[in-house]
């Protein structure tokens, strides 16, 4: 960037240096107190020193609202970005990112996040700690699963996941009641799925914990070591309405197809406390379990229809 930029244009609000072959953004940017939009697409940014030091502490760090770094050479998200606490829109599409760091949760004002066209394989649960995020684009990556914590993004309206490696969705995604757009085309989930996955028997610790929870055995924090009190607080209720059991680490993972808007059937992952909930041993339990599975699926279908518009391409 030219020297003296801040002296020539002290009130500059929008700067577009896209397609100029830049390999770094100079320190001149730091002295632009009014700059709220910086577009630096299709350059050669990505090496050490691509972004100026002290970005988060400078005037620019407080004023910047929109940052577009798509079409560059970043292998990871630059740590300097996480100091931009007022940032509302961040685009890093078409780079060489292999992951999303947990520090993404520092961008609490973020409303739009574009990370399409990278090599991302997983989504950190910390992404769910962005209360204002409305548009999340993760298409054209190598993502294999969606963390259930993503359901905490209550402001999310659009979620683009097409052209990834997804074979199922977490059941919790039905809690995204404000979601208007969901793009899933080009994922394996539309052509194959796994009905039942491996079940690891519960440990003695879990068996004891299940007994305490299901029989409502009373205890005070002073009665048990702190680690056990914390463990007991992690119990999850079995979603089978006929069961009433709980589980900790050991559960049966099961794929169930659920109607979306009466048009699409999507495979959602849900968890049961034991194989008896999904593979009954007698005809009597077969009848009870079939009814409970139907109840569970009906409940999921009703929740799914709360999504007004689901786009699968």
């Amino acid at each position: 960037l030219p020297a003296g930029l801040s002296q020539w244009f002290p009130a500059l609000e929008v700067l577009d240096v896209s397609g100029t072959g830049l390999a770094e953004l100079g320190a001149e940017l730091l002295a632009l107190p009014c700059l709220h939009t910086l577009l630096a697409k299709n350059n050669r940014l990505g090496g050490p020193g691509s972004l100026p030091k002290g970005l988060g502490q400078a005037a620019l760090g407080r004023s910047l609202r929109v940052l577009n770094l798509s079409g560059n050479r970043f292998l990871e998200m630059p740590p300097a970005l996480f100091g931009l606490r007022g940032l509302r829109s961040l685009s890093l599409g078409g780079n060489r990112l292999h992951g999303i760091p947990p520090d993404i949760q520092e961008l609490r004002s973020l409303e739009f996040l574009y990370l399409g066209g990278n090599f991302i394989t997983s989504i950190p649960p910390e992404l769910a700690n962005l209360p204002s995020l409305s548009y999340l684009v993760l298409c054209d990556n190598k993502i294999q699963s969606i963390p259930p914590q993503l359901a905490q993004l209550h402001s999310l309206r659009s979620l683009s996941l097409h052209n990834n490696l997804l074979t199922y969705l977490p059941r919790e995604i039905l809690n995204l009641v404000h979601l208007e757009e969901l793009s899933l085309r080009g994922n394996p989930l539309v052509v194959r799925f796994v009905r039942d996955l491996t079940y690891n028997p519960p440990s003695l610790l879990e068996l004891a914990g299940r007994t305490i929870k299901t029989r409502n055995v009373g205890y005070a924090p002073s009665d048990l070591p702190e680690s056990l009190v914390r463990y007991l607080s992690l119990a999850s209720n079995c979603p089978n309405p006929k069961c009433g059991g709980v589980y900790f680490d050991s559960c049966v993972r099961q794929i169930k197809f659920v109607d979306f808007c009466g048009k699409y059937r999507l495979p959602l992952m849900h968890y049961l406390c034991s194989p008896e909930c999904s593979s009954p041993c007698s005809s009597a339990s077969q009848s009870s379990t079939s009814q409970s599975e139907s109840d569970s699926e009906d409940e999921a279908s009703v929740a799914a229809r709360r999504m007004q518009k689901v786009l699968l391409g």
Side-chain angles (χ1 to χ4, degrees):
L1 294 178
L5 181 65
S6 59
Q7 298 176 357
W8 299 339
F9 307 105
L12 191 66
E13 296 183 353
V14 179
L15 177 60
D16 188 350
V17 291
S18 301
T20 56
L22 286 175
E24 64 179 48
L25 298 175
E28 285 293 324
L29 286 175
L30 303 181
L32 295 172
C34 300
L35 190 67
H36 59 71
T37 299
L38 175 57
L39 310 177
K41 303 178 294 181
N42 304 324
N43 283 299
R44 295 185 292 117
L45 302 170
S50 291
L51 301 183
K53 294 181 179 180
L55 182 60
Q57 293 74 40
L60 179 62
R62 295 186 293 272
S63 66
L64 200 60
R65 298 291 180 266
V66 178
L67 177 60
N68 193 324
L69 297 173
S70 292
N72 280 285
R73 304 177 181 181
F74 289 101
L75 297 175
E76 60 183 19
M77 296 182 71
L81 295 182
F82 306 126
L84 302 174
R85 302 301 172 84
L87 200 63
R88 296 176 184 171
S89 174
L90 174 61
S91 299
L92 274 164
N95 276 274
R96 304 170 185 177
L97 305 178
H98 284 77
I100 306 172
D103 288 340
I104 191 73
Q105 65 184 337
E106 301 298 327
L107 301 178
R108 303 282 293 177
S109 300
L110 208 60
E111 300 174 1
F112 177 92
L113 179 60
Y114 189 101
L115 297 175
N118 282 286
F119 302 95
I120 297 170
T121 58
S122 62
I123 303 172
E126 289 81 3
L127 189 63
N129 296 331
L130 299 176
S132 301
L133 193 64
S134 299
Y135 300 89
L136 176 58
V137 181
L138 295 168
C139 60
D140 301 294
N141 278 287
K142 299 182 181 296
I143 298 169
Q144 300 183 41
S145 63
I146 304 299
Q149 290 86 351
L150 221 61
Q152 299 171 21
L153 293 172
H154 301 301
S155 297
L156 199 63
R157 296 185 176 277
S158 177
L159 177 58
S160 295
L161 293 166
H162 54 271
N163 299 331
N164 276 285
L165 302 176
L166 298 171
T167 56
Y168 66 87
L169 299 176
R171 181 185 177 87
E172 289 81 0
I173 201 170
L174 297 176
N175 295 329
L176 296 173
V177 295
H178 296 295
L179 196 66
E180 298 175 352
E181 298 180 353
L182 174 62
S183 178
L184 293 167
R185 67 182 185 276
N187 279 282
L189 61 81
V190 300
V191 294
R192 63 183 174 87
F193 73 100
V194 179
R195 173 69 182 180
D196 292 311
L197 303 180
T198 303
Y199 172 69
N200 295 319
S203 64
L204 291 177
L205 174 63
E206 175 152 349
L207 288 174
R210 289 187 179 197
T211 300
I212 291 174
K213 287 294 186 179
T214 56
R215 297 187 179 180
N216 296 317
V217 177
Y219 63 90
S222 58
D223 297 334
L224 300 172
E226 182 180 351
S227 58
L228 290 181
V229 174
R230 186 166 55 251
Y231 178 79
L232 290 171
S233 70
L234 299 177
S236 298
N237 294 321
C238 182
N240 183 344
K242 304 294 184 181
C243 174
V246 300
Y247 64 87
F248 292 86
D249 302 311
S250 176
C251 61
V252 176
R253 297 188 297 169
Q254 188 177 65
I255 303 291
K256 294 188 72 66
F257 277 98
V258 173
D259 287 326
F260 268 60
C261 301
K263 184 175 182 181
Y264 303 103
R265 289 180 63 80
L266 296 181
L268 300 183
M269 177 71 80
H270 74 163
Y271 302 86
L272 301 171
C273 68
S274 71
E276 284 71 24
C277 284
S278 59
S279 301
C281 301
S282 68
S283 57
S285 59
Q286 172 74 51
S287 175
S288 173
T289 302
S290 296
Q291 180 62 44
S292 66
E293 285 186 353
S294 177
D295 292 344
S296 178
E297 185 168 356
D298 288 345
E299 177 186 352
S301 298
V302 170
R305 292 189 182 97
R306 289 202 299 258
M307 296 183 183
Q308 295 300 310
K309 184 174 66 171
V310 178
L311 298 183
L312 297 179

